[in-house]
Amino acid sequence: MDKLSDGLPSVGDLTINCVYTALLQPVNVVKILIQVGYEPLPPTYRKPSIFFFSGGFYYPNIFKYMKYLTDKEGSRLVLYRGLTPRLGGVFITNSVRSEVLAAVPASTSKCPPEQIAHEVGRQCAATALAVITSHPLLVVTNRMIVSLIGGEEKYSTVISAISTIFGEEGLLGFYAGIVPHLLGEVSGKAIEVLIQEIVEKAELNKKLGLPAHADGKTSLPVSAIHGFLSYPLQLTTTIMTVNNCGLAVSDLPTVQGTQSSWIACIKALWNSGNIKRGSNLMFARKSADQTWHTPPSPPTSPDVEPLAEEVAAVVESPVEVPAAPTVAEVPDVPVVPEVPVVPEVPVVPEVSVVSECPDGKCELKPAATSE
C-alpha cells in the first residue's frame, strides 16, 4: 500500500509548491477580495448560451477583475500582494506535516479498519499542527490583500502588517479565524484520506480503471470533494481573519453582522445566500437575494477627518435665506425739520468822499447827504 512520504520535504517538492503558489497568487488575490464581498464592477445581464446556461445577471470573470485591479493601482504587482507570507506558510505547512508523519509511524496492524483509523488519525494530526503553525501567516496574507479595498498603508508590507497586528491585537490577533480554518482542513483531510484508503483496500481503482494515487499526491476527484465540502468553512475563515481589524473591508455588507463569532458569520452567510461566494470565478451568477453595492471609500487621515466632518455638516445643514421685508416692517425714516428762513439784511449804501481841496492840502470831509 502506498503511503505518504515521511521526513522532511525535498528541495524539489518545495520548489514545485512555491512555483505553483506564485503562479496562482493572482487567482488567490481575486478570490479573497470576492469572498469578502468586494464588488467594484456591477453585474451584467447575459442571455442563455453554452457558458451561461440560464439568462440573468452575472458578475465579471476573474480576468476582468484582474484588469480592474491593475488599472486602479497602476501596476501588475498588485496581483502578487501577500505572496511573501503565503510562500512562508507553504514552507511551514509542508515542513511540519513531514515532521509529524515521520514521528508517527504507519500502522502495523493487519486489520483493515484499524489501519484506516490509524492512517486517518495520523494524517489529521499532521494537518492540525500544520494549520496551527502556519495560520499567523494566513492572517497576514489576507489582511495585506484586503487592504487594497480602502488603500490602508499599515498593511502594505509584511513588517508593517506584523507590527500592526501585534500592537493592536496582541498574539491572539495572529489566530483570528483559527477555529473554522482548523475544522475545515482537518475534516477535509479526514474525508480525503478515508476515501483513499477505502479505494485502496477494495482495489476499486483497478476495477474502475482509475490511476492509483502516488506518494502524498491526491487524485483530482478526492481533492474536488474536499474543496466542495469544506468551502463554507474556508469562506468563513477568510472573513474572520479580516474582521475587526480597522480596515475598510468591515464596511462591506458581506462582512457586516459577522463580527461576534465564526458561528454567527457562517449563519449570516447562509441566510444572505453568500455561503458559496467566490467558489465560481468565471461564471458567478448574481442570485435574487444578493444586492450589488459600490465599494467603500478610503478612510481619511486623523488630521483631515474632523475638518471633513465639519464641512459635511455645513453642506448638509439647510441654508436659511432671510425673507424680503414687507412695507410694514420698513422702519420709519425720521423727518428732517425745516430750516428757518433768514431775513434779508439791508444793504448799507456806500459813503462817497468829496475833496474840497483839489491840491490835496485840506482835510477830507464827507459829502452832505440829502434829507
Side-chain angles (χ1 to χ4, degrees):
M1 175 172 38
D2 295 334
K3 295 295 179 182
L4 297 177
S5 58
D6 300 337
L8 289 174
S10 63
V11 177
D13 291 339
L14 284 177
T15 302
I16 294 175
N17 289 333
C18 290
V19 171
Y20 179 77
T21 301
L23 291 176
L24 292 183
Q25 182 62 13
V27 178
N28 185 58
V29 170
V30 174
K31 183 177 181 179
I32 290 177
L33 292 176
I34 294 177
Q35 283 180 335
V36 298
Y38 182 52
E39 299 168 352
L41 301 175
T44 56
Y45 181 79
R46 301 290 184 180
K47 296 181 179 180
S49 63
I50 188 174
F51 297 107
F52 308 98
F53 299 102
S54 59
F57 286 91
Y58 287 82
Y59 289 104
N61 57 46
I62 185 175
F63 301 107
K64 294 182 179 179
Y65 213 120
M66 290 180 182
K67 185 179 183 302
Y68 171 82
L69 292 177
T70 54
D71 293 342
K72 176 186 174 184
E73 300 296 330
S75 174
R76 293 184 179 180
L77 293 178
V78 67
L79 300 178
Y80 294 91
R81 188 74 169 263
L83 177 60
T84 302
R86 190 162 183 241
L87 290 177
V90 171
F91 175 79
I92 292 176
T93 299
N94 292 338
S95 300
V96 171
R97 277 184 51 83
S98 299
E99 287 290 343
V100 174
L101 293 177
V104 180
S107 175
T108 57
S109 176
K110 296 182 179 180
C111 179
E114 292 182 3
Q115 291 180 357
I116 295 176
H118 180 81
E119 187 63 23
V120 170
R122 181 169 171 260
Q123 295 289 340
C124 289
T127 301
L129 289 178
V131 168
I132 294 173
T133 53
S134 64
H135 187 79
L137 292 178
L138 176 66
V139 175
V140 174
T141 302
N142 291 350
R143 294 192 182 185
M144 288 181 65
I145 293 174
V146 299
S147 65
L148 294 171
I149 299 175
E152 295 88 352
E153 295 294 333
K154 60 182 180 179
Y155 288 101
S156 58
T157 63
V158 179
I159 302 300
S160 62
I162 293 175
S163 60
T164 300
I165 295 174
F166 183 77
E168 295 181 356
E169 305 174 48
L171 291 176
L172 292 179
F174 292 100
Y175 287 93
I178 182 65
V179 176
H181 189 196
L182 199 59
L183 290 177
E185 293 297 326
V186 172
S187 61
K189 178 58 69 174
I191 296 173
E192 179 182 321
V193 176
L194 183 62
I195 294 176
Q196 288 179 352
E197 293 295 324
I198 293 177
V199 169
E200 286 186 0
K201 293 296 182 182
E203 295 184 352
L204 294 178
N205 53 348
K206 296 180 180 179
K207 295 178 181 179
L208 299 177
L210 299 175
H213 67 278
D215 295 341
K217 301 299 186 294
T218 307
S219 58
L220 182 60
V222 178
S223 299
I225 294 173
H226 176 190
F228 177 79
L229 295 178
S230 63
Y231 186 80
L233 291 173
Q234 294 177 19
L235 176 60
T236 305
T237 301
T238 300
I239 294 179
M240 294 305 296
T241 54
V242 301
N243 246 337
N244 301 322
C245 60
L247 295 176
V249 66
S250 300
D251 298 331
L252 294 175
T254 307
V255 181
Q256 291 179 356
T258 62
Q259 288 83 358
S260 58
S261 65
W262 70 272
I263 298 179
C265 177
I266 199 169
K267 286 183 178 179
L269 293 173
W270 180 272
N271 295 332
S272 61
N274 291 315
I275 198 64
K276 287 293 183 180
R277 171 182 286 275
S279 60
N280 189 347
L281 299 178
M282 289 299 296
F283 310 108
R285 185 180 181 182
K286 175 184 174 297
S287 59
D289 52 357
Q290 288 179 336
T291 57
W292 180 80
H293 58 86
T294 56
S297 58
T300 56
S301 60
D303 298 335
V304 181
E305 188 172 358
L307 179 60
E309 293 179 356
E310 294 179 4
V311 173
V314 172
V315 173
E316 293 177 0
S317 61
V319 179
E320 297 181 358
V321 180
T326 59
V327 177
E329 296 177 354
V330 177
D332 297 336
V333 179
V335 180
V336 180
E338 296 182 358
V339 180
V341 179
V342 180
E344 296 182 359
V345 179
V347 179
V348 180
E350 296 182 356
V351 178
S352 59
V353 179
V354 179
S355 175
E356 295 179 356
C357 302
D359 54 358
K361 295 182 179 179
C362 18
E363 296 179 354
L364 296 177
K365 295 179 181 181
T369 60
S370 61
E371 296 180 356

